[in-house]
Amino acid sequence: MTSFWQDVRYSLRMIAKAPGYAAIAILTLALGIGANTTIFSWINSTLLNPVPGLASPSEVVSLTLSKPGDNPFPFTYPDLEALRDGQQSFTGIAACNFAQMSLTGKGKPERVWGMVASANYFDVLGVRPILGRGFLPTEDEKPGGAPVAVISYRFWQTHFGANPEIVGQTIEINQHPYTIVGVTPAVFQGSQTGVRTDIWVPIMMEAQVNPLGDLLQDHHQFWLLAFGRLKPGVRLEQAQAEMTLRLKPEVKNYPVEHKGHDSVTVYPLWRNPFGLNFFLSTLLPALMCIAGLVLLLACVNVANLMLVRLVGRRREIVIRMSLGASRWRLVRQLLLESLMLALAGGAVALLITSWTEGTLLRFLPVTEDVPLELRIAADRTVLLAALVISVLTGVIFGILPALRSSGVAPVAVLKEDTGSASGGLRKARLTSGLVWRKFRCPCCC
């Protein structure tokens, strides 16, 4: 351990002796690592955590009316009843649909983005309101008989001043009074990734908020988005097969309506086809591959810089070898130098990430009607990823120069002309293999 800290102090001294080299290397690595940590922060906040605030989110899946690989399609309410009643694959199946609501009763009407949802919506998602409650099973029985509402934390803050006595107060939606029964946690902004929801009302109130009227008995309107929480041990394929089988009576009774939509596909929540994730699940991996290439190019260029610098230090290296330093000790010390540069680059990369993490919305389709909102944060997972990427980067760009420099023959180096800066033909070949160089034709130039 003593020798390790000696190597650490020695590495810091050697880096401090070449501030220009260190600054260029750190900045180059910071750009490469920063690109990766920024995109990973997007992946972490969308694909790895598609709906913040859920309990055991890996158990929650999205159901669509389509064959695997086809365009996803929502359900009718009779479809939902056929899937839900008596099924064995899920602890519960919930349904919802967006609705543009108008807040009335207090001055000028205000349009908000809300949702009608089945009574088990919050239970299936595993979301517990911080105030009040969610919906009760009895509020899923009688059309028009459940004028209650759950509001978002944001809506509670902006419209009610975070009044702790909000539960029980009345809010007017589309000129109908609703009693507020709960407030969702701050982290939960809706079940569709990237789309903010402010108010939830029971699905039995659909006719009061939907301009199309009562759709609960309609076999022709496909409008419901469905979620389910898988029972322990149930695979997606099993649930999909059961749901497709349970849909057959509806397909048989209404063949025209279900033409081309006679199967059920179950998606993991990170690939929910009715949210931004269906778009992001293709975009973000592609961006991550590009960022990986940027980091690889940064490693190649810094490795070349390091190799050129080590050419000037070869006498120092062979003298240490002559005094008894083992090749492993030299490799370790040189790798420590590269790791320190990479960790410094990682620290700068985190600063870059804190500045760029919120730019994901610029890649999304522009819309004035849908309230798109993504909360991207560099949490502990991103910090851990930055550390891992930095360490791997240090090893990648440092291992080849370290092995190359520690493998020289001391006698040959000591006999070389001290004025030589090339380090011999073999070193020149390695350098040219790390970066592309443009040669001039001696006949033309």
Side-chain angles (χ1 to χ4, degrees):
M1 184 59 69
T2 302
S3 63
F4 173 79
W5 290 114
Q6 288 176 348
D7 288 343
V8 170
R9 290 193 295 270
Y10 185 78
S11 299
L12 290 174
R13 288 199 303 269
M14 297 309 297
I15 292 174
K17 285 183 178 180
Y21 155 75
I24 294 174
I26 290 172
L27 180 59
T28 302
L29 294 172
L31 293 175
I33 297 173
N36 283 267
T37 53
T38 296
I39 297 174
F40 180 79
S41 70
W42 298 348
I43 292 175
N44 180 61
S45 299
T46 55
L47 303 185
L48 300 184
N49 189 24
V51 182
L54 304 193
S56 302
S58 60
E59 299 175 356
V60 181
V61 295
S62 175
L63 290 78
T64 67
L65 186 61
S66 62
K67 295 180 180 179
D70 289 350
N71 292 328
F73 213 68
F75 297 93
T76 67
Y77 190 77
D79 287 340
L80 174 69
E81 292 180 312
L83 300 180
R84 181 182 60 190
D85 300 337
Q87 56 82 25
Q88 300 296 319
S89 298
F90 301 93
T91 58
I93 295 178
C96 59
N97 186 38
F98 290 112
Q100 292 187 15
M101 301 178 181
S102 179
L103 293 182
T104 54
K106 292 184 179 180
K108 185 179 178 180
E110 177 186 353
R111 189 179 67 174
V112 297
W113 200 261
M115 182 172 277
V116 294
S118 56
N120 63 344
Y121 174 83
F122 295 105
D123 293 331
V124 169
L125 293 178
V127 176
R128 295 181 178 274
I130 59 172
L131 292 177
R133 61 172 177 85
F135 300 138
L136 301 176
T138 54
E139 292 166 345
D140 227 2
E141 297 176 352
K142 181 181 177 182
V148 297
V150 174
I151 61 175
S152 69
Y153 183 91
R154 172 189 170 279
F155 192 80
W156 175 52
Q157 294 273 324
T158 58
H159 288 71
F160 297 96
N163 181 6
E165 306 297 327
I166 186 62
V167 175
Q169 293 192 22
T170 300
I171 185 173
E172 192 171 285
I173 303 173
N174 294 5
Q175 299 182 340
H176 292 277
Y178 289 77
T179 301
I180 297 174
V181 296
V183 178
T184 63
V187 70
F188 180 73
Q189 60 179 9
S191 52
Q192 310 304 121
T193 303
V195 183
R196 188 185 71 241
T197 305
D198 286 324
I199 301 175
W200 293 263
V201 301
I203 203 169
M204 290 294 113
M205 304 302 296
E206 181 273 334
Q208 283 70 38
V209 299
N210 194 329
L212 295 178
D214 186 6
L215 300 179
L216 297 179
Q217 305 302 321
D218 197 325
H219 293 266
H220 309 280
Q221 294 290 338
F222 296 85
W223 60 289
L224 280 177
L225 315 178
F227 294 90
R229 181 173 287 273
L230 290 169
K231 290 182 177 179
V234 177
R235 302 192 308 273
L236 293 181
E237 296 78 10
Q238 292 176 264
Q240 189 168 282
E242 184 193 2
M243 294 299 103
T244 298
L245 183 62
R246 298 191 63 82
L247 185 68
K248 286 190 178 299
E250 280 295 307
V251 174
K252 181 179 179 180
N253 293 333
Y254 299 91
V256 176
E257 290 79 359
H258 288 85
K259 184 178 180 180
H261 308 290
D262 56 356
S263 301
V264 176
T265 301
V266 179
Y267 292 91
L269 198 57
W270 66 269
R271 287 199 63 216
N272 179 12
F274 296 111
L276 287 178
N277 272 8
F278 206 64
F279 169 72
L280 296 177
S281 62
T282 301
L283 172 66
L284 294 185
L287 290 178
M288 195 69 189
C289 291
I290 296 173
L293 291 176
V294 172
L295 181 57
L296 183 60
L297 290 174
C299 289
V300 169
N301 282 279
V302 175
N304 185 68
L305 287 175
M306 188 174 185
L307 182 65
V308 171
R309 183 167 181 264
L310 288 176
V311 167
R313 292 175 56 189
R314 54 203 170 119
R315 283 187 170 273
E316 165 211 331
I317 292 172
V318 298
I319 290 173
R320 294 181 63 188
M321 294 175 66
S322 300
L323 293 175
S326 66
R327 186 180 185 188
W328 158 243
R329 179 73 181 272
L330 292 172
V331 169
R332 186 180 72 177
Q333 191 266 315
L334 294 174
L335 274 179
L336 278 174
E337 287 187 32
S338 65
L339 284 173
M340 289 179 184
L341 290 173
L343 290 174
V348 177
L350 286 176
L351 296 177
I352 296 174
T353 300
S354 66
W355 176 55
T356 58
E357 63 187 7
T359 58
L360 177 58
L361 283 173
R362 298 179 184 178
F363 290 92
L364 304 181
V366 178
T367 175
E368 297 180 357
D369 296 328
V370 181
L372 299 180
E373 182 173 317
L374 285 171
R375 297 178 181 178
I376 311 295
D379 58 11
R380 289 178 296 179
T381 304
V382 177
L383 294 178
L384 179 60
L387 177 61
V388 172
I389 293 172
S390 298
V391 172
L392 290 177
T393 298
V395 173
I396 290 172
F397 80 78
I399 188 64
L400 188 58
L403 291 174
R404 181 70 177 180
S405 299
S406 63
V408 297
V411 175
V413 172
L414 292 174
K415 288 182 177 179
E416 285 182 2
D417 183 9
T418 56
S420 174
S422 65
L425 179 60
R426 295 172 64 189
K427 294 180 182 59
R429 287 174 178 170
L430 178 59
T431 303
S432 63
L434 289 172
V435 293
W436 178 82
R437 299 188 302 174
K438 182 178 180 181
F439 293 95
R440 294 181 179 180
C441 176
C443 300
C444 302
C445 302

